[in-house]
Amino acid sequence: MRDLKECREAIDRIDSDLLRLLKERLEVAGDIARYKLDHNQGIVDRARENAKLDSLARAGADLGISPVMITAVYKEIMAHTVSFEQSHIMALLNEQPLTRDTSIAYLGTQQGTYSHLAALRFTRNHQGHVTYKGRSSFEEIIAAVENGECEYALLPIENSSSGSINEVLDLISRTRAYIIGEVFLPIDHSVLALPDVRLSDITDLYSHPQPITQCSDFIKLTFPHATIHYTSSTSEAMQTVSELGSGTSAAIASRDSARLFNLVSLKDDIANHKNNYTRFVVLALTPVMVPQNLEAKTSLIFSVQKYAPGSLIAVLDTFSRNGINLIKLNSRPRESETGEIWEEIFFADVLAHLDTPVMQDILHKLKRLTSYLKVLGCYASSDRPVHEVKRA
């Protein structure tokens, strides 16, 4: 029988072989991406994926490997391969070098925020060096792109539990940057504290306002008398708790980031809604072209003619009559430029390519039906989040 040292050396050798094979698999995926682009084929083939998973599970079972393990591992591999192919196609279509350096601004002055995790996800298939630049406010994130400091700006725009983030909507309506991508990040809020601290010891909670809102039920039930301290980001909350060194303080943030601040989780999955996702949008000064074989989303803002009866219905009907699915509609007040007290501005997401004849015809008609119209961007849709393997 091999001793522990020999076993670890064998594991290291096997892991090196697995990494080499994964790299070889991605190289094949790059060729597949080129073929799909040339032949206008879709990226995702669910029937083949399901058949492949069944085949692999059976083959694994024949080798004595749990089908559950095989399915979980290969779902992750397939999901990342799809993302890699999409990034490859986007780079080819927009005539960008496949290997290049880039930079992205996100919320939080330190690593470990949900925004930082989303930035890592957006750039996970980028071939080249990525510089991650944390900022302390949404305004600073957008400014980093507008002044040329970063290529990309990543902003949280809505959450499945707490809804739209109005401050971000307002900023996006004014920026000259375009939405060029989106990221759906699963949010698993946890109570994080120093080692050996108990839940019953907590008297002070630190976090960004969004996690506090999203975990309000748990906070009311577990910490009815705790003092809430709002921070600019979850990383600031974790840093504060770590630096305080107090046995009565805790942060609400991601368990995946706890180790960065020498904290441990006292309780996981505390959000009001268990299937909790935050949608992030990525902005850049240059819009992107989305290949026709990728499902695209176009975002725009508009205001209707205030005193024209049925003006909003006329706008919505324009999409409906052309078979275009409008999947999101938000309204926000903004200062009127015509002397009115205010006017309503609408944010809309539609599942359509911007450069198709039908969308161009719709935009032409909307110019007559609206008092203000602006396209925020067209980008590859990510409404189907990457499969997540749930923790036991």
Side-chain angles (χ1 to χ4, degrees):
M1 185 179 76
R2 289 175 291 190
D3 61 23
L4 182 59
K5 181 176 181 297
E6 291 173 326
C7 290
R8 287 175 173 172
E9 289 175 348
I11 289 290
D12 289 344
R13 175 181 52 77
I14 294 169
D15 286 341
S16 295
D17 290 341
L18 289 174
L19 289 174
R20 177 181 53 79
L21 291 171
L22 285 173
K23 181 177 184 298
E24 185 177 333
R25 195 180 197 278
L26 288 179
E27 290 171 352
V28 175
D31 292 337
I32 292 174
R34 288 185 176 90
Y35 181 91
K36 289 179 176 178
L37 178 60
D38 292 341
H39 295 79
N40 196 29
Q41 292 187 1
I43 291 290
V44 179
D45 186 341
R46 296 297 181 195
R48 171 170 166 74
E49 285 188 5
N50 291 333
K52 182 71 173 176
L53 286 171
D54 289 342
S55 174
L56 289 167
R58 289 194 299 271
D62 291 341
L63 294 171
I65 306 174
S66 166
V68 174
M69 175 183 175
I70 292 293
T71 300
V73 169
Y74 272 93
K75 274 189 175 181
E76 283 294 298
I77 291 174
M78 288 178 178
H80 284 275
T81 301
V82 167
S83 179
F84 176 84
E85 289 181 15
Q86 178 173 306
S87 299
H88 207 75
I89 287 176
M90 292 289 289
L92 290 171
L93 188 67
N94 290 278
E95 299 181 345
Q96 296 176 340
L98 295 177
T99 301
R100 64 186 181 87
D101 295 343
T102 190
S103 54
I104 184 168
Y106 65 91
L107 183 65
T109 55
Q110 291 194 27
Q111 296 182 358
T113 63
Y114 289 110
S115 291
H116 177 243
L117 297 176
L120 292 173
R121 172 162 293 194
F122 176 72
T123 58
R124 63 187 166 190
N125 290 314
H126 186 85
Q127 299 178 55
H129 178 71
V130 181
T131 300
Y132 300 93
K133 298 188 177 182
R135 292 293 178 266
S136 59
S137 69
F138 296 139
E139 292 89 344
E140 291 179 9
I141 294 171
I142 290 182
V145 165
E146 291 186 331
N147 64 25
E149 183 181 354
C150 291
E151 181 176 6
Y152 301 117
L154 181 136
L155 295 162
I157 194 170
E158 61 181 329
N159 177 265
S160 59
S161 173
S162 55
S164 298
I165 302 174
N166 292 327
E167 182 184 355
V168 172
L169 291 176
D170 293 342
L171 289 170
I172 290 176
S173 71
R174 298 192 295 266
T175 183
R176 58 190 176 92
Y178 297 89
I179 300 177
I180 57 89
E182 64 180 358
V183 177
F184 283 82
L185 185 74
I187 305 299
D188 182 7
H189 294 308
S190 299
V191 180
L192 308 178
L194 294 171
D196 300 325
V197 173
R198 298 172 299 175
L199 277 176
S200 58
D201 298 331
I202 303 303
T203 60
D204 292 81
L205 286 173
Y206 295 80
S207 194
H208 185 272
Q210 285 292 321
I212 294 294
T213 300
Q214 294 163 19
C215 302
S216 58
D217 292 345
F218 178 84
I219 292 173
K220 290 176 184 177
L221 180 65
T222 311
F223 308 112
H225 305 297
T227 301
I228 306 298
H229 304 269
Y230 293 107
T231 58
S232 63
S233 66
T234 53
S235 64
E236 180 186 338
M238 289 183 284
Q239 181 181 18
T240 299
V241 170
S242 180
E243 292 178 348
L244 283 173
S246 168
T248 60
S249 298
I252 294 179
S254 169
R255 186 180 78 168
D256 293 337
S257 301
R259 60 181 178 78
L260 299 175
F261 301 89
N262 298 316
L263 302 178
V264 297
S265 175
L266 306 184
K267 182 70 175 179
D268 295 325
D269 197 19
I270 64 170
N272 299 347
H273 301 282
K274 301 311 176 186
N275 190 24
N276 189 16
Y277 281 84
T278 291
R279 177 192 175 206
F280 295 80
V281 290
V282 182
L283 282 72
L285 289 180
T286 304
V288 295
M289 294 179 61
V290 183
Q292 294 297 316
N293 60 330
L294 293 182
E295 188 175 62
K297 185 181 292 183
T298 297
S299 295
L300 49 88
I301 54 175
F302 63 89
S303 57
V304 297
Q305 298 168 5
K306 191 169 185 179
Y307 298 106
S311 57
L312 178 57
I313 295 298
V315 170
L316 301 182
D317 189 53
T318 302
F319 290 104
S320 178
R321 283 187 288 107
N322 285 277
I324 298 299
N325 187 12
L326 193 153
I327 59 173
K328 187 171 183 63
L329 185 67
N330 270 63
S331 67
R332 289 286 296 150
R334 77 166 185 172
E335 185 178 351
S336 173
E337 297 177 356
T338 61
E340 300 285 347
I341 298 176
W342 75 74
E343 66 178 348
E344 291 293 320
I345 187 169
F346 295 89
F347 293 77
D349 290 336
V350 297
L351 282 180
H353 285 74
L354 179 63
D355 58 356
T356 56
V358 64
M359 271 300 293
Q360 290 301 310
D361 182 58
I362 288 174
L363 292 177
H364 178 72
K365 292 175 180 176
L366 291 186
K367 289 178 181 178
R368 301 196 307 269
L369 298 172
T370 60
S371 57
Y372 174 75
L373 176 66
K374 178 184 178 183
V375 175
L376 298 175
C378 179
Y379 46 96
S381 174
S382 298
D383 270 348
R384 297 179 181 85
V386 173
H387 169 78
E388 294 292 324
V389 177
K390 293 296 183 181
R391 300 187 185 96

